[in-house]
Amino acid sequence: MSVRVRFAPSPTGFLHIGSLRTALFTYLIAKSGGGKCILRIEDTDQEREVEGAVESLIEILRWVGIVFDEGPHVGGNYGPYTQTERVDIYDKYARILLEKDGAYRCFCTPERLKEMREEQRINKLPTRYDRRCRNLTDAEISERLESGEAFVIRQKMPLDGDVVVYDGIQGEIRFDASHLDDHVLVKSNGIPTYQFANVVDDHLMEITHVTRADEWIPSFPKNVLLYRAFGWDMPEFVHYPVILNKGGGKLSKRHGDVMVEEFRDKGYLPDALVNFCVLLGWHPKDDNEILSFHELERNFDMKSIGASAAIFDTDKLDYFNGYYIRHMLPNDLLSVCLPYLINADLIKAVNDDGFEIVKSGKVVGRNYLEGVVALEQERIKKISDVVGAVDFFFVDELEYAPELLIWKKMTAGEARTNLDNLLKILDAVPVDSWNAAVLEEVIGNHIKSAGLNVGSVLWPFRVSLTGRKASPGAFEVASVLGKEETLRRMGKAIKQV
RNA sequence: GGUCCCAUCGUCUAGUGGCCUAGGACGCUGGCCUCUCACGCCGGUAACGCGAGUUCGAAACUCGCUGGGACCA
C-alpha cells in the first residue's frame, strides 16, 4: 500500500514554525516513501474565518518548497478537502457510530455541566462528564428528541481495562480506560469536534500515517477507540516531539519570531529554514547536516526522528542561512536582495534592467548591482543585512571621521601622501582594464617598488572608498565603483585627512 | 491536582551492552590567511541529571528519585 499522509492545519493566517516542522516531516515521509501528501483544512473549530488565510497558508508552504498532491486548491479524488464542506459526511458517520453503540446522545445543558464540574472540583474529583445520558432508553431519547431538546454526541468509552496504543516514535503507550472522558464528538450545532472529524477524514482519505505533534498524545487512545468502534483498519500513528522556546516552554510569540512569514521577511532563505527545522528532532544517518530540499526528499528517514523535545535556538539557523547565501548564483542573490534595496530607498526601478540610485540620480544596470551584492555575499547572514552592508555604494558623499583613514601608527601626512601617490598611479590605469585583478597587480607593484607597508596604502585606500573600518577588499570595491568614482572618492579623502 | 511523554556538551544531536579516556554541527575561543571585516583552513572548550540494581562489563537494560514538557482541569 502506498504512503498517504496529510498536513491538516487550522487556517489562522500565519504558519507557526512548529507547524512548518510538522508539515515538513509529514511531507518528507510522503516523498521519501514515494507517496502522496495531502492538504486538509481543519476549520470546524474556527471562531471566525480569517480572510485569505488558506491562500496565504498554501503560498508560504509553496515558498518553503512544499507542494501538495491533493488539497482544496488542487483537488483530488478524496475531496472536499475543507472540513466545513464535509459536515454532511460527519453527520452520516455520527449516525453510523450511534448505531454501532460507539457513541450516545447527551442532552445535558451547559448549565448542568457547569454545576457538575463545580461539584467535582469541590470534592476534588477529576472533572469529567458523569455519563448521566449514557444509558438513556430508546423511549427517553425519542421523547427528548421530539420535544426539540438540544444534544451533543459523546464517545462511549470503555469503563475499565487498558487501552494500549502504538506510536511510531514512542512505541507502546498504555492508558487506563477508566481515566478517559466521554468527550464530545459532535457539538449541539451539528459541527463535529476536531477528534471526530479528524478520524473520519483520515479514514475516508485513506491516510496511512497519521502524523501530528506530540501535544495530541492525550487524545491518542480516544482516536484509536473510534477506529475500533467503527471497525476500521488502524493507520500508523506518528507523534512528533514538540519544539520548545529557549526558556523551555511552549514556543510562542513572546520569545521572538515564531511565524514562518516573519523569517521570510527578515531575509531567511527557504532552504536554510528547511534545513534548520528538519534537524530539530531528526538527524541523518551520516553526519552531513547540509541537506538540500531535494536530498531530504530522497533521504529522509522517519525512523530517525527522535523522541525528545527540541529547543528552538536560531544561532544555527543564521549559520545555515549564511551558508546558503554564499552558495547562491549572483543573479539569484540579486533577485532576492532587490526588494530590500528598493524598500530601503537606496535604489528605484526605472525599467526592466535600469535602476536609479536615489541619492545621486545615476542610473545603473542589473550588472552593476550584481557586482555590488556579490561583494557582500560571504558577509551577510540574512538578506535584509544587505541594506546596511552595501549602502556606501549608493551615497553621494561618504561620511566618516577623517582619522579613520590613518592606518595603525602612521601619521596623517603619510596617509595623505600614500593616497596622493596612489591616485596618480590609478589615474594612469585605462578604464577598459579597470578590474580587481589589474588593480591588485598595479597597486602591488607600486607598494613593492616604493618599499611601503601593504596596510599603509591599502587601508587608507579602502577607507576612502567605503568610509568603513570593515568592508570588502579594496580592489574589489574599486573595481565595482569604477575608475571615475574611485578617483573622486580618493580625491575627497586626500582633502580631508 | 490528574494522565501521559521526555532526559548525552550552552543549543541541535550521534550512540540500540565492550568499538566511548563519548563522535559531528552551531555557538564560544586560540591560531593561520589578511589592509579591515567576512569566508576558508587548523586547534581548543564543553555533556551521559541523581541513586540503586542486572552484568565480567552500562551513556545504553530495569526500578526509584529528581527535573523539564504536553494535555485535561
PDB file of all heavy atoms in Angstrom, chain A residues 248 279 281 283 289 311 378-379 454 471, chain B residues 5 12-13 24 35-38 69 73:
ATOM      1  N   GLY A 248      12.201  26.968  27.641  1.00  0.00           N
ATOM      2  CA  GLY A 248      11.721  25.624  27.905  1.00  0.00           C
ATOM      3  C   GLY A 248      10.229  25.467  27.762  1.00  0.00           C
ATOM      4  O   GLY A 248       9.720  24.369  27.802  1.00  0.00           O
ATOM      5  N   LEU A 279      16.301  19.484  11.142  1.00  0.00           N
ATOM      6  CA  LEU A 279      17.266  18.957  12.109  1.00  0.00           C
ATOM      7  C   LEU A 279      16.777  19.077  13.547  1.00  0.00           C
ATOM      8  O   LEU A 279      17.448  18.621  14.471  1.00  0.00           O
ATOM      9  CB  LEU A 279      18.591  19.706  11.940  1.00  0.00           C
ATOM     10  CG  LEU A 279      19.771  19.025  11.239  1.00  0.00           C
ATOM     11  CD1 LEU A 279      19.369  17.873  10.346  1.00  0.00           C
ATOM     12  CD2 LEU A 279      20.604  20.034  10.481  1.00  0.00           C
ATOM     13  N   GLY A 281      14.986  17.510  15.791  1.00  0.00           N
ATOM     14  CA  GLY A 281      14.307  16.261  16.091  1.00  0.00           C
ATOM     15  C   GLY A 281      14.566  15.153  15.088  1.00  0.00           C
ATOM     16  O   GLY A 281      14.054  14.054  15.221  1.00  0.00           O
ATOM     17  N   HIS A 283      17.814  13.465  12.478  1.00  0.00           N
ATOM     18  CA  HIS A 283      19.235  13.514  12.162  1.00  0.00           C
ATOM     19  C   HIS A 283      19.545  12.503  11.067  1.00  0.00           C
ATOM     20  O   HIS A 283      19.073  11.380  11.117  1.00  0.00           O
ATOM     21  CB  HIS A 283      20.064  13.194  13.418  1.00  0.00           C
ATOM     22  CG  HIS A 283      21.467  13.683  13.333  1.00  0.00           C
ATOM     23  ND1 HIS A 283      22.483  12.906  12.866  1.00  0.00           N
ATOM     24  CD2 HIS A 283      22.008  14.876  13.625  1.00  0.00           C
ATOM     25  CE1 HIS A 283      23.615  13.608  12.882  1.00  0.00           C
ATOM     26  NE2 HIS A 283      23.354  14.801  13.342  1.00  0.00           N
ATOM     27  N   GLU A 289      25.165  17.532   7.685  1.00  0.00           N
ATOM     28  CA  GLU A 289      23.969  18.258   8.089  1.00  0.00           C
ATOM     29  C   GLU A 289      23.492  19.277   7.062  1.00  0.00           C
ATOM     30  O   GLU A 289      22.441  19.870   7.223  1.00  0.00           O
ATOM     31  CB  GLU A 289      24.219  18.959   9.432  1.00  0.00           C
ATOM     32  CG  GLU A 289      24.420  17.975  10.570  1.00  0.00           C
ATOM     33  CD  GLU A 289      24.413  18.630  11.933  1.00  0.00           C
ATOM     34  OE1 GLU A 289      24.495  19.870  12.008  1.00  0.00           O
ATOM     35  OE2 GLU A 289      24.328  17.903  12.929  1.00  0.00           O
ATOM     36  N   ILE A 311      14.776  22.449  21.553  1.00  0.00           N
ATOM     37  CA  ILE A 311      14.648  23.875  21.842  1.00  0.00           C
ATOM     38  C   ILE A 311      14.964  24.676  20.586  1.00  0.00           C
ATOM     39  O   ILE A 311      15.904  24.367  19.854  1.00  0.00           O
ATOM     40  CB  ILE A 311      15.557  24.259  23.021  1.00  0.00           C
ATOM     41  CG1 ILE A 311      14.973  23.689  24.308  1.00  0.00           C
ATOM     42  CG2 ILE A 311      15.713  25.770  23.122  1.00  0.00           C
ATOM     43  CD1 ILE A 311      15.833  23.848  25.517  1.00  0.00           C
ATOM     44  N   GLU A 378      29.565  36.814   0.967  1.00  0.00           N
ATOM     45  CA  GLU A 378      30.086  35.959   2.033  1.00  0.00           C
ATOM     46  C   GLU A 378      30.044  36.628   3.405  1.00  0.00           C
ATOM     47  O   GLU A 378      30.507  36.065   4.387  1.00  0.00           O
ATOM     48  CB  GLU A 378      31.504  35.504   1.705  1.00  0.00           C
ATOM     49  CG  GLU A 378      32.485  36.622   1.540  1.00  0.00           C
ATOM     50  CD  GLU A 378      33.816  36.078   1.021  1.00  0.00           C
ATOM     51  OE1 GLU A 378      33.789  35.080   0.274  1.00  0.00           O
ATOM     52  OE2 GLU A 378      34.848  36.653   1.365  1.00  0.00           O
ATOM     53  N   ARG A 379      29.495  37.835   3.435  1.00  0.00           N
ATOM     54  CA  ARG A 379      29.464  38.558   4.702  1.00  0.00           C
ATOM     55  C   ARG A 379      28.094  38.601   5.357  1.00  0.00           C
ATOM     56  O   ARG A 379      27.994  38.666   6.578  1.00  0.00           O
ATOM     57  CB  ARG A 379      29.955  39.991   4.494  1.00  0.00           C
ATOM     58  CG  ARG A 379      31.457  40.114   4.613  1.00  0.00           C
ATOM     59  CD  ARG A 379      31.956  41.431   4.039  1.00  0.00           C
ATOM     60  NE  ARG A 379      32.476  41.199   2.701  1.00  0.00           N
ATOM     61  CZ  ARG A 379      33.762  40.964   2.446  1.00  0.00           C
ATOM     62  NH1 ARG A 379      34.643  40.988   3.406  1.00  0.00           N
ATOM     63  NH2 ARG A 379      34.157  40.708   1.228  1.00  0.00           N
ATOM     64  N   VAL A 454      52.099  47.224   3.133  1.00  0.00           N
ATOM     65  CA  VAL A 454      50.864  46.980   2.387  1.00  0.00           C
ATOM     66  C   VAL A 454      49.704  47.745   3.011  1.00  0.00           C
ATOM     67  O   VAL A 454      48.939  48.429   2.331  1.00  0.00           O
ATOM     68  CB  VAL A 454      50.561  45.470   2.336  1.00  0.00           C
ATOM     69  CG1 VAL A 454      49.250  45.213   1.626  1.00  0.00           C
ATOM     70  CG2 VAL A 454      51.691  44.722   1.640  1.00  0.00           C
ATOM     71  N   SER A 471      34.973  46.226   5.676  1.00  0.00           N
ATOM     72  CA  SER A 471      34.281  46.212   4.381  1.00  0.00           C
ATOM     73  C   SER A 471      34.916  45.150   3.499  1.00  0.00           C
ATOM     74  O   SER A 471      35.927  44.564   3.858  1.00  0.00           O
ATOM     75  CB  SER A 471      34.413  47.577   3.713  1.00  0.00           C
ATOM     76  OG  SER A 471      35.690  47.701   3.109  1.00  0.00           O
TER      77      SER A 471
ATOM     78  P     C B   5       3.822   7.183  28.989  1.00  0.00           P
ATOM     79  OP1   C B   5       4.030   5.933  28.245  1.00  0.00           O
ATOM     80  OP2   C B   5       4.156   7.267  30.422  1.00  0.00           O
ATOM     81  O5'   C B   5       4.609   8.357  28.260  1.00  0.00           O
ATOM     82  C5'   C B   5       4.488   8.545  26.852  1.00  0.00           C
ATOM     83  C4'   C B   5       5.209   9.802  26.455  1.00  0.00           C
ATOM     84  O4'   C B   5       4.676  10.939  27.194  1.00  0.00           O
ATOM     85  C3'   C B   5       6.690   9.849  26.795  1.00  0.00           C
ATOM     86  O3'   C B   5       7.453   9.137  25.843  1.00  0.00           O
ATOM     87  C2'   C B   5       6.958  11.346  26.735  1.00  0.00           C
ATOM     88  O2'   C B   5       6.988  11.827  25.415  1.00  0.00           O
ATOM     89  C1'   C B   5       5.702  11.890  27.417  1.00  0.00           C
ATOM     90  N1    C B   5       5.881  12.086  28.875  1.00  0.00           N
ATOM     91  C2    C B   5       6.605  13.209  29.305  1.00  0.00           C
ATOM     92  O2    C B   5       7.085  13.971  28.454  1.00  0.00           O
ATOM     93  N3    C B   5       6.759  13.415  30.633  1.00  0.00           N
ATOM     94  C4    C B   5       6.221  12.565  31.515  1.00  0.00           C
ATOM     95  N4    C B   5       6.403  12.827  32.815  1.00  0.00           N
ATOM     96  C5    C B   5       5.488  11.418  31.100  1.00  0.00           C
ATOM     97  C6    C B   5       5.343  11.215  29.782  1.00  0.00           C
ATOM     98  P     C B  12      18.544  21.376  22.439  1.00  0.00           P
ATOM     99  OP1   C B  12      17.101  21.210  22.646  1.00  0.00           O
ATOM    100  OP2   C B  12      19.496  20.605  23.265  1.00  0.00           O
ATOM    101  O5'   C B  12      18.882  21.109  20.902  1.00  0.00           O
ATOM    102  C5'   C B  12      18.111  21.731  19.872  1.00  0.00           C
ATOM    103  C4'   C B  12      18.597  21.226  18.543  1.00  0.00           C
ATOM    104  O4'   C B  12      19.970  21.646  18.344  1.00  0.00           O
ATOM    105  C3'   C B  12      18.668  19.706  18.442  1.00  0.00           C
ATOM    106  O3'   C B  12      17.396  19.169  18.159  1.00  0.00           O
ATOM    107  C2'   C B  12      19.670  19.529  17.316  1.00  0.00           C
ATOM    108  O2'   C B  12      19.090  19.770  16.057  1.00  0.00           O
ATOM    109  C1'   C B  12      20.689  20.638  17.634  1.00  0.00           C
ATOM    110  N1    C B  12      21.783  20.147  18.488  1.00  0.00           N
ATOM    111  C2    C B  12      22.875  19.503  17.885  1.00  0.00           C
ATOM    112  O2    C B  12      22.886  19.371  16.645  1.00  0.00           O
ATOM    113  N3    C B  12      23.884  19.039  18.654  1.00  0.00           N
ATOM    114  C4    C B  12      23.841  19.195  19.981  1.00  0.00           C
ATOM    115  N4    C B  12      24.860  18.726  20.711  1.00  0.00           N
ATOM    116  C5    C B  12      22.742  19.844  20.625  1.00  0.00           C
ATOM    117  C6    C B  12      21.743  20.300  19.850  1.00  0.00           C
ATOM    118  P     U B  13      17.078  17.720  18.726  1.00  0.00           P
ATOM    119  OP1   U B  13      15.765  17.354  18.190  1.00  0.00           O
ATOM    120  OP2   U B  13      17.333  17.652  20.185  1.00  0.00           O
ATOM    121  O5'   U B  13      18.160  16.884  17.943  1.00  0.00           O
ATOM    122  C5'   U B  13      18.702  15.693  18.457  1.00  0.00           C
ATOM    123  C4'   U B  13      19.966  15.414  17.695  1.00  0.00           C
ATOM    124  O4'   U B  13      20.973  16.373  18.092  1.00  0.00           O
ATOM    125  C3'   U B  13      20.610  14.077  17.978  1.00  0.00           C
ATOM    126  O3'   U B  13      19.980  13.077  17.175  1.00  0.00           O
ATOM    127  C2'   U B  13      22.036  14.329  17.534  1.00  0.00           C
ATOM    128  O2'   U B  13      22.152  14.299  16.138  1.00  0.00           O
ATOM    129  C1'   U B  13      22.260  15.767  18.015  1.00  0.00           C
ATOM    130  N1    U B  13      22.890  15.843  19.343  1.00  0.00           N
ATOM    131  C2    U B  13      24.214  15.423  19.419  1.00  0.00           C
ATOM    132  O2    U B  13      24.818  15.015  18.448  1.00  0.00           O
ATOM    133  N3    U B  13      24.778  15.505  20.663  1.00  0.00           N
ATOM    134  C4    U B  13      24.173  15.942  21.811  1.00  0.00           C
ATOM    135  O4    U B  13      24.819  15.953  22.858  1.00  0.00           O
ATOM    136  C5    U B  13      22.814  16.358  21.655  1.00  0.00           C
ATOM    137  C6    U B  13      22.236  16.292  20.461  1.00  0.00           C
ATOM    138  P     G B  24      34.380  15.117  16.686  1.00  0.00           P
ATOM    139  OP1   G B  24      35.624  15.514  16.002  1.00  0.00           O
ATOM    140  OP2   G B  24      34.097  15.616  18.047  1.00  0.00           O
ATOM    141  O5'   G B  24      33.148  15.485  15.753  1.00  0.00           O
ATOM    142  C5'   G B  24      33.125  15.019  14.405  1.00  0.00           C
ATOM    143  C4'   G B  24      31.789  15.353  13.780  1.00  0.00           C
ATOM    144  O4'   G B  24      30.732  14.709  14.538  1.00  0.00           O
ATOM    145  C3'   G B  24      31.404  16.825  13.804  1.00  0.00           C
ATOM    146  O3'   G B  24      32.026  17.543  12.748  1.00  0.00           O
ATOM    147  C2'   G B  24      29.904  16.727  13.597  1.00  0.00           C
ATOM    148  O2'   G B  24      29.579  16.402  12.262  1.00  0.00           O
ATOM    149  C1'   G B  24      29.564  15.524  14.492  1.00  0.00           C
ATOM    150  N9    G B  24      29.233  15.941  15.864  1.00  0.00           N
ATOM    151  C8    G B  24      29.995  15.824  16.990  1.00  0.00           C
ATOM    152  N7    G B  24      29.410  16.297  18.063  1.00  0.00           N
ATOM    153  C5    G B  24      28.181  16.754  17.616  1.00  0.00           C
ATOM    154  C6    G B  24      27.105  17.360  18.320  1.00  0.00           C
ATOM    155  O6    G B  24      27.022  17.624  19.519  1.00  0.00           O
ATOM    156  N1    G B  24      26.037  17.673  17.473  1.00  0.00           N
ATOM    157  C2    G B  24      26.012  17.419  16.130  1.00  0.00           C
ATOM    158  N2    G B  24      24.908  17.796  15.476  1.00  0.00           N
ATOM    159  N3    G B  24      27.005  16.843  15.454  1.00  0.00           N
ATOM    160  C4    G B  24      28.048  16.537  16.254  1.00  0.00           C
ATOM    161  P     C B  35      47.728  42.273   3.595  1.00  0.00           P
ATOM    162  OP1   C B  35      47.924  42.982   2.329  1.00  0.00           O
ATOM    163  OP2   C B  35      48.898  41.742   4.346  1.00  0.00           O
ATOM    164  O5'   C B  35      46.904  43.205   4.580  1.00  0.00           O
ATOM    165  C5'   C B  35      47.579  44.149   5.408  1.00  0.00           C
ATOM    166  C4'   C B  35      46.622  45.225   5.826  1.00  0.00           C
ATOM    167  O4'   C B  35      46.233  46.005   4.663  1.00  0.00           O
ATOM    168  C3'   C B  35      45.291  44.714   6.362  1.00  0.00           C
ATOM    169  O3'   C B  35      45.394  44.375   7.729  1.00  0.00           O
ATOM    170  C2'   C B  35      44.395  45.936   6.152  1.00  0.00           C
ATOM    171  O2'   C B  35      44.615  46.921   7.140  1.00  0.00           O
ATOM    172  C1'   C B  35      44.901  46.458   4.816  1.00  0.00           C
ATOM    173  N1    C B  35      44.097  45.954   3.683  1.00  0.00           N
ATOM    174  C2    C B  35      42.847  46.557   3.446  1.00  0.00           C
ATOM    175  O2    C B  35      42.488  47.465   4.199  1.00  0.00           O
ATOM    176  N3    C B  35      42.090  46.136   2.422  1.00  0.00           N
ATOM    177  C4    C B  35      42.536  45.143   1.631  1.00  0.00           C
ATOM    178  N4    C B  35      41.749  44.753   0.629  1.00  0.00           N
ATOM    179  C5    C B  35      43.781  44.506   1.852  1.00  0.00           C
ATOM    180  C6    C B  35      44.529  44.952   2.882  1.00  0.00           C
ATOM    181  P     U B  36      44.569  43.185   8.285  1.00  0.00           P
ATOM    182  OP1   U B  36      45.099  42.831   9.609  1.00  0.00           O
ATOM    183  OP2   U B  36      44.502  42.179   7.215  1.00  0.00           O
ATOM    184  O5'   U B  36      43.111  43.805   8.485  1.00  0.00           O
ATOM    185  C5'   U B  36      42.896  44.819   9.457  1.00  0.00           C
ATOM    186  C4'   U B  36      41.455  45.247   9.389  1.00  0.00           C
ATOM    187  O4'   U B  36      41.184  45.855   8.108  1.00  0.00           O
ATOM    188  C3'   U B  36      40.449  44.113   9.463  1.00  0.00           C
ATOM    189  O3'   U B  36      40.220  43.714  10.804  1.00  0.00           O
ATOM    190  C2'   U B  36      39.209  44.770   8.870  1.00  0.00           C
ATOM    191  O2'   U B  36      38.610  45.652   9.786  1.00  0.00           O
ATOM    192  C1'   U B  36      39.837  45.606   7.750  1.00  0.00           C
ATOM    193  N1    U B  36      39.814  44.915   6.443  1.00  0.00           N
ATOM    194  C2    U B  36      38.613  44.909   5.763  1.00  0.00           C
ATOM    195  O2    U B  36      37.607  45.422   6.212  1.00  0.00           O
ATOM    196  N3    U B  36      38.625  44.287   4.550  1.00  0.00           N
ATOM    197  C4    U B  36      39.705  43.667   3.961  1.00  0.00           C
ATOM    198  O4    U B  36      39.570  43.151   2.859  1.00  0.00           O
ATOM    199  C5    U B  36      40.922  43.713   4.729  1.00  0.00           C
ATOM    200  C6    U B  36      40.931  44.320   5.915  1.00  0.00           C
ATOM    201  P     C B  37      39.894  42.228  11.153  1.00  0.00           P
ATOM    202  OP1   C B  37      39.872  42.118  12.627  1.00  0.00           O
ATOM    203  OP2   C B  37      40.774  41.349  10.355  1.00  0.00           O
ATOM    204  O5'   C B  37      38.404  42.075  10.609  1.00  0.00           O
ATOM    205  C5'   C B  37      37.327  42.778  11.218  1.00  0.00           C
ATOM    206  C4'   C B  37      36.105  42.659  10.351  1.00  0.00           C
ATOM    207  O4'   C B  37      36.372  43.234   9.047  1.00  0.00           O
ATOM    208  C3'   C B  37      35.680  41.228  10.011  1.00  0.00           C
ATOM    209  O3'   C B  37      34.947  40.646  11.070  1.00  0.00           O
ATOM    210  C2'   C B  37      34.796  41.477   8.798  1.00  0.00           C
ATOM    211  O2'   C B  37      33.544  42.010   9.166  1.00  0.00           O
ATOM    212  C1'   C B  37      35.602  42.553   8.066  1.00  0.00           C
ATOM    213  N1    C B  37      36.505  41.957   7.057  1.00  0.00           N
ATOM    214  C2    C B  37      35.969  41.682   5.789  1.00  0.00           C
ATOM    215  O2    C B  37      34.792  41.960   5.577  1.00  0.00           O
ATOM    216  N3    C B  37      36.750  41.132   4.843  1.00  0.00           N
ATOM    217  C4    C B  37      38.029  40.841   5.123  1.00  0.00           C
ATOM    218  N4    C B  37      38.761  40.290   4.155  1.00  0.00           N
ATOM    219  C5    C B  37      38.604  41.105   6.404  1.00  0.00           C
ATOM    220  C6    C B  37      37.808  41.663   7.338  1.00  0.00           C
ATOM    221  P     A B  38      35.083  39.072  11.352  1.00  0.00           P
ATOM    222  OP1   A B  38      34.175  38.777  12.465  1.00  0.00           O
ATOM    223  OP2   A B  38      36.505  38.673  11.418  1.00  0.00           O
ATOM    224  O5'   A B  38      34.490  38.456  10.000  1.00  0.00           O
ATOM    225  C5'   A B  38      33.077  38.426   9.794  1.00  0.00           C
ATOM    226  C4'   A B  38      32.787  38.038   8.370  1.00  0.00           C
ATOM    227  O4'   A B  38      33.558  38.857   7.467  1.00  0.00           O
ATOM    228  C3'   A B  38      33.169  36.612   7.972  1.00  0.00           C
ATOM    229  O3'   A B  38      32.204  35.675   8.394  1.00  0.00           O
ATOM    230  C2'   A B  38      33.186  36.755   6.455  1.00  0.00           C
ATOM    231  O2'   A B  38      31.883  36.827   5.923  1.00  0.00           O
ATOM    232  C1'   A B  38      33.872  38.110   6.301  1.00  0.00           C
ATOM    233  N9    A B  38      35.323  37.938   6.214  1.00  0.00           N
ATOM    234  C8    A B  38      36.267  38.111   7.190  1.00  0.00           C
ATOM    235  N7    A B  38      37.489  37.853   6.795  1.00  0.00           N
ATOM    236  C5    A B  38      37.341  37.462   5.473  1.00  0.00           C
ATOM    237  C6    A B  38      38.259  37.047   4.483  1.00  0.00           C
ATOM    238  N6    A B  38      39.574  36.949   4.698  1.00  0.00           N
ATOM    239  N1    A B  38      37.777  36.733   3.273  1.00  0.00           N
ATOM    240  C2    A B  38      36.453  36.828   3.054  1.00  0.00           C
ATOM    241  N3    A B  38      35.482  37.204   3.897  1.00  0.00           N
ATOM    242  C4    A B  38      36.006  37.516   5.095  1.00  0.00           C
ATOM    243  P     G B  69       8.808  23.424  32.113  1.00  0.00           P
ATOM    244  OP1   G B  69       8.807  24.858  31.748  1.00  0.00           O
ATOM    245  OP2   G B  69       8.202  22.982  33.392  1.00  0.00           O
ATOM    246  O5'   G B  69       8.122  22.592  30.944  1.00  0.00           O
ATOM    247  C5'   G B  69       8.564  22.755  29.608  1.00  0.00           C
ATOM    248  C4'   G B  69       8.007  21.659  28.757  1.00  0.00           C
ATOM    249  O4'   G B  69       8.367  20.367  29.297  1.00  0.00           O
ATOM    250  C3'   G B  69       6.493  21.589  28.678  1.00  0.00           C
ATOM    251  O3'   G B  69       5.978  22.552  27.784  1.00  0.00           O
ATOM    252  C2'   G B  69       6.301  20.166  28.164  1.00  0.00           C
ATOM    253  O2'   G B  69       6.608  20.077  26.794  1.00  0.00           O
ATOM    254  C1'   G B  69       7.366  19.421  28.952  1.00  0.00           C
ATOM    255  N9    G B  69       6.820  18.810  30.182  1.00  0.00           N
ATOM    256  C8    G B  69       7.029  19.208  31.477  1.00  0.00           C
ATOM    257  N7    G B  69       6.403  18.451  32.343  1.00  0.00           N
ATOM    258  C5    G B  69       5.741  17.503  31.575  1.00  0.00           C
ATOM    259  C6    G B  69       4.900  16.416  31.957  1.00  0.00           C
ATOM    260  O6    G B  69       4.569  16.067  33.087  1.00  0.00           O
ATOM    261  N1    G B  69       4.430  15.719  30.843  1.00  0.00           N
ATOM    262  C2    G B  69       4.735  16.013  29.549  1.00  0.00           C
ATOM    263  N2    G B  69       4.186  15.235  28.618  1.00  0.00           N
ATOM    264  N3    G B  69       5.527  17.020  29.175  1.00  0.00           N
ATOM    265  C4    G B  69       5.991  17.717  30.238  1.00  0.00           C
ATOM    266  P     A B  73     -10.663  20.896  29.858  1.00  0.00           P
ATOM    267  OP1   A B  73     -12.114  20.848  29.563  1.00  0.00           O
ATOM    268  OP2   A B  73      -9.816  21.971  29.290  1.00  0.00           O
ATOM    269  O5'   A B  73     -10.449  20.906  31.431  1.00  0.00           O
ATOM    270  C5'   A B  73     -11.521  20.576  32.306  1.00  0.00           C
ATOM    271  C4'   A B  73     -11.026  20.591  33.727  1.00  0.00           C
ATOM    272  O4'   A B  73      -9.638  20.171  33.757  1.00  0.00           O
ATOM    273  C3'   A B  73     -10.983  21.958  34.392  1.00  0.00           C
ATOM    274  O3'   A B  73     -12.265  22.376  34.854  1.00  0.00           O
ATOM    275  C2'   A B  73     -10.014  21.699  35.538  1.00  0.00           C
ATOM    276  O2'   A B  73     -10.597  21.047  36.621  1.00  0.00           O
ATOM    277  C1'   A B  73      -8.991  20.771  34.850  1.00  0.00           C
ATOM    278  N9    A B  73      -7.839  21.563  34.378  1.00  0.00           N
ATOM    279  C8    A B  73      -7.620  22.119  33.146  1.00  0.00           C
ATOM    280  N7    A B  73      -6.494  22.775  33.048  1.00  0.00           N
ATOM    281  C5    A B  73      -5.924  22.645  34.312  1.00  0.00           C
ATOM    282  C6    A B  73      -4.724  23.115  34.867  1.00  0.00           C
ATOM    283  N6    A B  73      -3.841  23.843  34.200  1.00  0.00           N
ATOM    284  N1    A B  73      -4.461  22.816  36.164  1.00  0.00           N
ATOM    285  C2    A B  73      -5.361  22.087  36.841  1.00  0.00           C
ATOM    286  N3    A B  73      -6.528  21.580  36.414  1.00  0.00           N
ATOM    287  C4    A B  73      -6.748  21.898  35.141  1.00  0.00           C
TER     288        A B  73
END
